Amino acid sequence: MKMPEDYHMFIGGKWASSSSRETFNVINPATEQTIARVPMGTREDVRSAIDSARDSFDKGEWANKTPAERSAALWKMAEIVENNSLMLAQLESKNVGKTIKYSRDSDMPFIIDNLRFFAGAIRNMEGKAAMNYSGMGISIIKREPIGVVGAIVPWNYPLYIAIWKIAPALAAGNSIVLKPASYTPLTLLEFAKLTEKVLPKGVLNVVTGPGDTVGAELASSSKVDMIALTGDVSTGKKIMQLASNNIKKVHLELGGKAPFVVLPDASIDAATEGAIVSAFWNTAQDCTAATRIYVHEGMHDKFVKMLVSKASKIRIGDPMKESTDMGPLVSEKQRQRTEDYVKSGISEGAKLVHGGKRPKQMKKGFYYEPTIFTGVEQKMKICQQEIFGPVLSVMKYRTVDEVVDKANDTIYGLAASVWGSDITKAMNVAGRLKFGEVWINEHGILVSEMPHGGYKQSGFGKDLSMYSLEEYSQAKHIYIDQTGLARKPWYYVVYGDKK
Ligand code: NAD
């Protein structure tokens, strides 16, 4: 048996063990074997990473580089990821349990594209054109980096979401300290290793360890100017409190409970196909996963029959195999959580029409069958709470007003989709949905050019796009007087010549 690999943290351009010397094990969720030992970082380690980031920022070693120089560095990172993408994809699949098809053909290309997008975007960033608003001088808007950014990322897309923070933060000229989720720190540490020579020391740091110490220190430190989190709503609430310590800027991308609205004129074939992919992609550990399918009563039974038939064709198995469509959940805890929700659905009176158990053929690993409920009521837990496991609820509706109300009846507001062939009707429904991202006849497509982020308790702050670059920078107004020596003091202008 292969021995677990030992990893180190990346602090101030050096590879470090934890100051406590402690480590934690990282598991392959498909085999339940330990694949790596990673430092159990401490608050002291975080403080050391923050000091390195602060020092590099205050010296202007990165922030004072021209956009062209920063762009070249991000472009270099993209090239390095591209040259190592198979290794990174395999490691991501081993660590998360996501299929190699997704890691290699979806995660890695998007990571590379994202780095290249921000490499280009920073060369196109501009303040507003100068204008003489006072009649006596010119106003300029200059965009500046924020300073030291702390970034805390989840386990469902470990490197992918880390890059959503790294690329705009670095493009804008910030220094950054990242904390990966403890289940899945490996690809971010490999990325830091591969790119360690690209940036000045201290500009990018990675500290591993628990959320309530390492993450909390990052969120509360008065030497950190901005904290970005992708995670659960409850974690977002804690981060907001901790960040209030020095009124740091907060950027939150939180959970979701996406509705999938099927209008009466939708193609049942296309909508069921879309539902299967978007509900069970990444073993449903996706904040945009379709979890609430609202189908018009006239097509409900036919829709469910086709949905179940398609779900039964999903091939569960070893994520490293090309033929596998769905791997395990990331942990036993996540599988247990899924099982608890399935029990709650049954006890609240929903009808289990597919799945609902561990697949018999998988002797090891945290596997769970794709599961479908019908007859789900709006108030049930499986309809209201984020499961982050392969459980899909199907509900009937009669009128458009009813379905819009039901789709909006959630604390979340991240993503939604509408399916129908009359584009005017679909657009009308899309406009009434209170979600930050709404797809029509599609569910889950993200592109580097467009913002991704929530309404309501799904958070605020946009990832991806020029909007994200704006989030990682701040606007400064600089005023240049044009009256020279002949000018009157400003109080004459305001109060008149009273002396
Ligand atoms: P989580 O909130 O448990 O953990 C996210 C990160 O926060 C981890 O690195 C964790 O260690 C850290 N953390 C936990 N407690 C902390 C604390 N008290 N202080 C500071 N840091 C702390 O979430 P998760 O289980 O890793 O990920 C799943 C969640 O992430 C789901 O709710 C999902 O919807 C959400 N998510 C959202 C998006 C999005 O773009 N909106 C994308 C992916 C995942």
Side-chain angles (χ1 to χ4, degrees):
M1 201 179 81
K2 206 170 166 240
M3 288 300 286
E5 198 169 329
D6 284 314
Y7 279 80
H8 291 91
M9 301 184 286
F10 191 53
I11 299 177
K14 294 195 184 114
W15 292 95
S17 305
S18 164
S19 55
S20 71
R21 302 277 144 203
E22 282 182 57
T23 59
F24 61 91
N25 291 341
V26 175
I27 309 288
N28 176 338
T31 62
E32 300 180 37
Q33 279 170 356
T34 299
I35 51 172
R37 276 187 298 252
V38 173
M40 182 81 82
T42 61
R43 286 182 183 267
E44 196 185 324
D45 297 323
V46 184
R47 288 197 278 265
S48 155
I50 294 170
D51 284 345
S52 300
R54 187 80 263 161
D55 194 47
S56 72
F57 184 77
D58 291 345
K59 283 187 184 146
E61 290 168 335
W62 175 248
N64 291 348
K65 290 207 182 300
T66 63
E69 287 168 329
R70 276 184 255 143
S71 172
L74 286 172
W75 197 265
K76 178 86 192 148
M77 288 179 161
E79 207 174 80
I80 291 172
V81 174
E82 195 163 44
N83 292 338
N84 294 278
S85 68
L86 186 58
M87 178 277 285
L88 288 167
Q90 286 168 340
L91 185 61
E92 199 75 297
S93 285
K94 244 196 210 174
N95 193 181
V96 184
K98 65 172 70 193
T99 67
I100 187 68
K101 285 192 292 208
Y102 297 168
S103 307
R104 186 193 56 213
D105 304 339
S106 174
D107 284 22
M108 292 307 143
F110 198 45
I111 287 168
I112 297 162
D113 183 65
N114 219 240
L115 286 162
R116 288 192 175 137
F117 172 79
F118 285 104
I122 190 57
R123 303 194 70 176
N124 283 296
M125 192 162 202
E126 49 187 36
K128 279 193 183 148
M131 181 76 84
N132 187 342
Y133 296 102
S134 66
M136 297 179 297
I138 300 284
S139 288
I140 301 171
I141 294 286
K142 183 171 176 265
R143 289 211 79 92
E144 297 189 335
I146 290 175
V148 174
V149 172
I152 303 176
V153 289
W155 44 258
N156 56 342
Y157 291 92
L159 186 56
Y160 182 98
I161 290 179
I163 295 295
W164 288 8
K165 320 282 184 210
I166 292 172
L170 292 183
N174 301 285
S175 292
I176 185 165
V177 181
L178 289 124
K179 189 205 99 59
S182 296
Y183 288 126
T184 58
L186 304 186
T187 45
L188 178 57
L189 290 170
E190 285 293 343
F191 172 83
K193 206 183 287 175
L194 290 166
T195 60
E196 67 178 318
K197 299 274 182 289
V198 177
L199 302 167
K201 287 184 181 24
V203 173
L204 187 145
N205 306 270
V206 182
V207 185
T208 48
D212 55 9
T213 51
V214 171
E217 182 66 29
L218 208 46
S220 60
S221 166
S222 53
K223 293 183 184 170
V224 173
D225 305 296
M226 170 175 175
I227 185 83
L229 164 80
T230 295
D232 193 63
V233 171
S234 60
T235 312
K237 289 180 182 173
K238 287 183 196 151
I239 296 285
M240 285 181 92
Q241 281 176 346
L242 295 168
S244 68
N245 193 25
N246 65 329
I247 320 288
K248 61 172 66 63
K249 184 167 185 180
V250 179
H251 180 280
L252 298 176
E253 293 286 353
L254 306 175
K257 190 74 188 170
F260 184 108
V261 177
V262 187
L263 297 175
D265 63 350
S267 151
I268 298 194
D269 193 28
T272 49
E273 195 66 36
I276 289 292
V277 175
S278 55
F280 300 123
W281 174 270
N282 210 31
T283 318
Q285 299 161 119
D286 188 313
C287 48
T288 67
T291 51
R292 299 182 289 142
I293 310 274
Y294 294 97
V295 188
H296 190 264
E297 59 180 4
M299 69 206 297
H300 175 270
D301 295 353
K302 195 173 169 198
F303 186 97
V304 170
K305 203 168 161 204
M306 207 182 270
L307 193 69
V308 168
S309 149
K310 286 181 177 168
S312 63
K313 295 197 177 77
I314 293 175
R315 295 163 296 184
I316 302 175
D318 177 358
M320 305 311 277
K321 276 197 182 153
E322 290 294 327
S323 56
T324 299
D325 300 317
M326 201 170 111
L329 288 146
V330 76
S331 63
E332 179 54 36
K333 188 176 164 204
Q334 205 59 25
R335 176 164 66 177
Q336 191 62 56
R337 179 184 162 96
T338 305
E339 285 177 334
D340 289 347
Y341 275 108
V342 170
K343 276 186 209 145
S344 124
I346 294 168
S347 72
E348 287 192 282
K351 186 174 170 202
L352 181 68
V353 295
H354 186 73
K357 55 186 186 320
R358 300 177 179 199
K360 279 204 200 80
Q361 74 275 23
M362 304 311 297
K363 304 293 174 222
K364 280 266 172 209
F366 312 125
Y367 290 92
Y368 199 79
E369 288 181 351
T371 297
I372 301 174
F373 279 106
T374 59
V376 176
E377 299 289 335
Q378 207 52 31
K379 62 178 183 337
M380 291 180 185
K381 277 192 199 152
I382 53 169
C383 179
Q384 290 295 333
Q385 297 177 9
E386 187 180 40
I387 300 173
F388 237 54
V391 180
L392 186 55
S393 297
V394 185
M395 287 147 291
K396 282 183 198 174
Y397 72 89
R398 278 205 187 115
T399 66
V400 169
D401 286 347
E402 178 192 343
V403 76
V404 168
D405 284 350
K406 285 183 165 170
N408 286 335
D409 172 28
T410 167
I411 61 160
Y412 297 104
L414 187 62
S417 65
V418 184
W419 296 73
S421 45
D422 182 331
I423 203 68
T424 308
K425 284 187 185 151
M427 271 296 288
N428 180 279
V429 174
R432 295 173 67 191
L433 294 176
K434 295 187 173 67
F435 294 82
E437 201 158 22
V438 184
W439 297 280
I440 294 178
N441 294 325
E442 180 52 86
H443 191 111
I445 292 276
L446 301 179
V447 289
S448 294
E449 292 82 354
M450 287 291 124
H452 169 70
Y455 284 10
K456 302 199 277 185
Q457 291 191 35
S458 290
F460 45 79
K462 302 289 177 191
D463 278 330
L464 310 176
S465 80
M466 290 304 279
Y467 294 94
S468 167
L469 197 51
E470 286 189 5
E471 303 258 337
Y472 286 91
S473 60
Q474 51 195 343
K476 177 184 273 181
H477 171 206
I478 298 182
Y479 178 86
I480 311 163
D481 174 71
Q482 283 196 308
T483 58
L485 291 177
R487 76 181 187 276
K488 287 180 180 171
W490 66 269
Y491 49 82
Y492 284 166
V493 177
V494 178
Y495 300 111
D497 193 357
K498 298 218 173 90
K499 275 197 174 170

PDB file of all heavy atoms in Angstrom, residues 396-410:
ATOM      1  N   LYS A 396     -45.609  19.545  -7.955  1.00  0.00           N
ATOM      2  CA  LYS A 396     -46.561  19.980  -8.999  1.00  0.00           C
ATOM      3  C   LYS A 396     -46.985  21.417  -8.746  1.00  0.00           C
ATOM      4  O   LYS A 396     -47.010  21.863  -7.607  1.00  0.00           O
ATOM      5  CB  LYS A 396     -47.861  19.171  -8.855  1.00  0.00           C
ATOM      6  CG  LYS A 396     -47.827  17.791  -9.397  1.00  0.00           C
ATOM      7  CD  LYS A 396     -49.236  17.194  -9.207  1.00  0.00           C
ATOM      8  CE  LYS A 396     -49.149  15.699  -9.320  1.00  0.00           C
ATOM      9  NZ  LYS A 396     -50.383  15.013  -9.019  1.00  0.00           N
ATOM     10  N   TYR A 397     -47.357  22.109  -9.831  1.00  0.00           N
ATOM     11  CA  TYR A 397     -47.988  23.424  -9.659  1.00  0.00           C
ATOM     12  C   TYR A 397     -49.061  23.587 -10.735  1.00  0.00           C
ATOM     13  O   TYR A 397     -49.064  22.858 -11.742  1.00  0.00           O
ATOM     14  CB  TYR A 397     -46.937  24.546  -9.743  1.00  0.00           C
ATOM     15  CG  TYR A 397     -46.407  24.790 -11.144  1.00  0.00           C
ATOM     16  CD1 TYR A 397     -47.034  25.682 -12.010  1.00  0.00           C
ATOM     17  CD2 TYR A 397     -45.295  24.100 -11.609  1.00  0.00           C
ATOM     18  CE1 TYR A 397     -46.553  25.888 -13.305  1.00  0.00           C
ATOM     19  CE2 TYR A 397     -44.811  24.300 -12.894  1.00  0.00           C
ATOM     20  CZ  TYR A 397     -45.443  25.195 -13.741  1.00  0.00           C
ATOM     21  OH  TYR A 397     -44.975  25.385 -15.015  1.00  0.00           O
ATOM     22  N   ARG A 398     -49.951  24.587 -10.508  1.00  0.00           N
ATOM     23  CA  ARG A 398     -51.027  24.851 -11.490  1.00  0.00           C
ATOM     24  C   ARG A 398     -50.781  26.116 -12.302  1.00  0.00           C
ATOM     25  O   ARG A 398     -50.920  26.124 -13.506  1.00  0.00           O
ATOM     26  CB  ARG A 398     -52.358  25.026 -10.761  1.00  0.00           C
ATOM     27  CG  ARG A 398     -52.999  23.743 -10.420  1.00  0.00           C
ATOM     28  CD  ARG A 398     -54.525  23.858 -10.255  1.00  0.00           C
ATOM     29  NE  ARG A 398     -54.963  22.567  -9.763  1.00  0.00           N
ATOM     30  CZ  ARG A 398     -55.490  22.356  -8.583  1.00  0.00           C
ATOM     31  NH1 ARG A 398     -55.726  23.366  -7.781  1.00  0.00           N
ATOM     32  NH2 ARG A 398     -55.822  21.143  -8.199  1.00  0.00           N
ATOM     33  N   THR A 399     -50.453  27.219 -11.590  1.00  0.00           N
ATOM     34  CA  THR A 399     -50.368  28.511 -12.302  1.00  0.00           C
ATOM     35  C   THR A 399     -48.955  29.102 -12.189  1.00  0.00           C
ATOM     36  O   THR A 399     -48.190  28.733 -11.296  1.00  0.00           O
ATOM     37  CB  THR A 399     -51.336  29.544 -11.678  1.00  0.00           C
ATOM     38  OG1 THR A 399     -50.865  29.832 -10.356  1.00  0.00           O
ATOM     39  CG2 THR A 399     -52.765  29.032 -11.627  1.00  0.00           C
ATOM     40  N   VAL A 400     -48.685  30.044 -13.098  1.00  0.00           N
ATOM     41  CA  VAL A 400     -47.366  30.687 -13.090  1.00  0.00           C
ATOM     42  C   VAL A 400     -47.153  31.457 -11.782  1.00  0.00           C
ATOM     43  O   VAL A 400     -46.084  31.385 -11.177  1.00  0.00           O
ATOM     44  CB  VAL A 400     -47.222  31.619 -14.321  1.00  0.00           C
ATOM     45  CG1 VAL A 400     -45.987  32.506 -14.194  1.00  0.00           C
ATOM     46  CG2 VAL A 400     -47.117  30.797 -15.593  1.00  0.00           C
ATOM     47  N   ASP A 401     -48.187  32.166 -11.303  1.00  0.00           N
ATOM     48  CA  ASP A 401     -48.033  32.913 -10.047  1.00  0.00           C
ATOM     49  C   ASP A 401     -47.669  31.972  -8.897  1.00  0.00           C
ATOM     50  O   ASP A 401     -46.822  32.276  -8.057  1.00  0.00           O
ATOM     51  CB  ASP A 401     -49.334  33.652  -9.690  1.00  0.00           C
ATOM     52  CG  ASP A 401     -49.540  34.870 -10.586  1.00  0.00           C
ATOM     53  OD1 ASP A 401     -48.579  35.248 -11.282  1.00  0.00           O
ATOM     54  OD2 ASP A 401     -50.664  35.410 -10.602  1.00  0.00           O
ATOM     55  N   GLU A 402     -48.345  30.813  -8.891  1.00  0.00           N
ATOM     56  CA  GLU A 402     -48.082  29.839  -7.822  1.00  0.00           C
ATOM     57  C   GLU A 402     -46.629  29.361  -7.875  1.00  0.00           C
ATOM     58  O   GLU A 402     -45.932  29.315  -6.861  1.00  0.00           O
ATOM     59  CB  GLU A 402     -49.037  28.650  -7.996  1.00  0.00           C
ATOM     60  CG  GLU A 402     -48.829  27.550  -6.975  1.00  0.00           C
ATOM     61  CD  GLU A 402     -49.575  26.260  -7.339  1.00  0.00           C
ATOM     62  OE1 GLU A 402     -50.487  26.302  -8.184  1.00  0.00           O
ATOM     63  OE2 GLU A 402     -49.197  25.214  -6.793  1.00  0.00           O
ATOM     64  N   VAL A 403     -46.145  29.034  -9.074  1.00  0.00           N
ATOM     65  CA  VAL A 403     -44.780  28.490  -9.154  1.00  0.00           C
ATOM     66  C   VAL A 403     -43.731  29.558  -8.833  1.00  0.00           C
ATOM     67  O   VAL A 403     -42.707  29.264  -8.201  1.00  0.00           O
ATOM     68  CB  VAL A 403     -44.516  27.776 -10.503  1.00  0.00           C
ATOM     69  CG1 VAL A 403     -44.303  28.729 -11.661  1.00  0.00           C
ATOM     70  CG2 VAL A 403     -43.324  26.854 -10.376  1.00  0.00           C
ATOM     71  N   VAL A 404     -43.991  30.798  -9.219  1.00  0.00           N
ATOM     72  CA  VAL A 404     -43.041  31.869  -8.897  1.00  0.00           C
ATOM     73  C   VAL A 404     -42.974  32.036  -7.373  1.00  0.00           C
ATOM     74  O   VAL A 404     -41.887  32.120  -6.784  1.00  0.00           O
ATOM     75  CB  VAL A 404     -43.428  33.196  -9.601  1.00  0.00           C
ATOM     76  CG1 VAL A 404     -42.635  34.369  -9.038  1.00  0.00           C
ATOM     77  CG2 VAL A 404     -43.211  33.084 -11.114  1.00  0.00           C
ATOM     78  N   ASP A 405     -44.142  32.039  -6.721  1.00  0.00           N
ATOM     79  CA  ASP A 405     -44.161  32.176  -5.250  1.00  0.00           C
ATOM     80  C   ASP A 405     -43.406  31.034  -4.588  1.00  0.00           C
ATOM     81  O   ASP A 405     -42.627  31.242  -3.660  1.00  0.00           O
ATOM     82  CB  ASP A 405     -45.611  32.168  -4.722  1.00  0.00           C
ATOM     83  CG  ASP A 405     -46.285  33.504  -4.981  1.00  0.00           C
ATOM     84  OD1 ASP A 405     -45.584  34.450  -5.372  1.00  0.00           O
ATOM     85  OD2 ASP A 405     -47.525  33.575  -4.815  1.00  0.00           O
ATOM     86  N   LYS A 406     -43.654  29.818  -5.067  1.00  0.00           N
ATOM     87  CA  LYS A 406     -43.012  28.655  -4.440  1.00  0.00           C
ATOM     88  C   LYS A 406     -41.500  28.665  -4.678  1.00  0.00           C
ATOM     89  O   LYS A 406     -40.723  28.358  -3.783  1.00  0.00           O
ATOM     90  CB  LYS A 406     -43.624  27.364  -4.979  1.00  0.00           C
ATOM     91  CG  LYS A 406     -45.014  27.097  -4.398  1.00  0.00           C
ATOM     92  CD  LYS A 406     -45.566  25.778  -4.877  1.00  0.00           C
ATOM     93  CE  LYS A 406     -46.759  25.379  -4.019  1.00  0.00           C
ATOM     94  NZ  LYS A 406     -47.477  24.229  -4.594  1.00  0.00           N
ATOM     95  N   ALA A 407     -41.116  29.000  -5.894  1.00  0.00           N
ATOM     96  CA  ALA A 407     -39.670  29.026  -6.206  1.00  0.00           C
ATOM     97  C   ALA A 407     -38.960  30.057  -5.323  1.00  0.00           C
ATOM     98  O   ALA A 407     -37.842  29.816  -4.845  1.00  0.00           O
ATOM     99  CB  ALA A 407     -39.466  29.355  -7.682  1.00  0.00           C
ATOM    100  N   ASN A 408     -39.634  31.186  -5.065  1.00  0.00           N
ATOM    101  CA  ASN A 408     -39.019  32.251  -4.254  1.00  0.00           C
ATOM    102  C   ASN A 408     -39.128  32.004  -2.745  1.00  0.00           C
ATOM    103  O   ASN A 408     -38.520  32.733  -1.961  1.00  0.00           O
ATOM    104  CB  ASN A 408     -39.665  33.606  -4.569  1.00  0.00           C
ATOM    105  CG  ASN A 408     -39.218  34.146  -5.915  1.00  0.00           C
ATOM    106  OD1 ASN A 408     -38.140  33.811  -6.402  1.00  0.00           O
ATOM    107  ND2 ASN A 408     -40.047  34.987  -6.528  1.00  0.00           N
ATOM    108  N   ASP A 409     -39.893  30.989  -2.364  1.00  0.00           N
ATOM    109  CA  ASP A 409     -40.134  30.727  -0.941  1.00  0.00           C
ATOM    110  C   ASP A 409     -38.954  29.963  -0.330  1.00  0.00           C
ATOM    111  O   ASP A 409     -39.016  28.758  -0.080  1.00  0.00           O
ATOM    112  CB  ASP A 409     -41.447  29.918  -0.814  1.00  0.00           C
ATOM    113  CG  ASP A 409     -41.669  29.425   0.599  1.00  0.00           C
ATOM    114  OD1 ASP A 409     -41.188  30.090   1.549  1.00  0.00           O
ATOM    115  OD2 ASP A 409     -42.304  28.351   0.757  1.00  0.00           O
ATOM    116  N   THR A 410     -37.844  30.656  -0.123  1.00  0.00           N
ATOM    117  CA  THR A 410     -36.623  30.062   0.424  1.00  0.00           C
ATOM    118  C   THR A 410     -35.748  31.181   0.968  1.00  0.00           C
ATOM    119  O   THR A 410     -35.844  32.326   0.501  1.00  0.00           O
ATOM    120  CB  THR A 410     -35.847  29.291  -0.682  1.00  0.00           C
ATOM    121  OG1 THR A 410     -34.533  28.985  -0.212  1.00  0.00           O
ATOM    122  CG2 THR A 410     -35.707  30.093  -1.972  1.00  0.00           C
TER     123      THR A 410
END
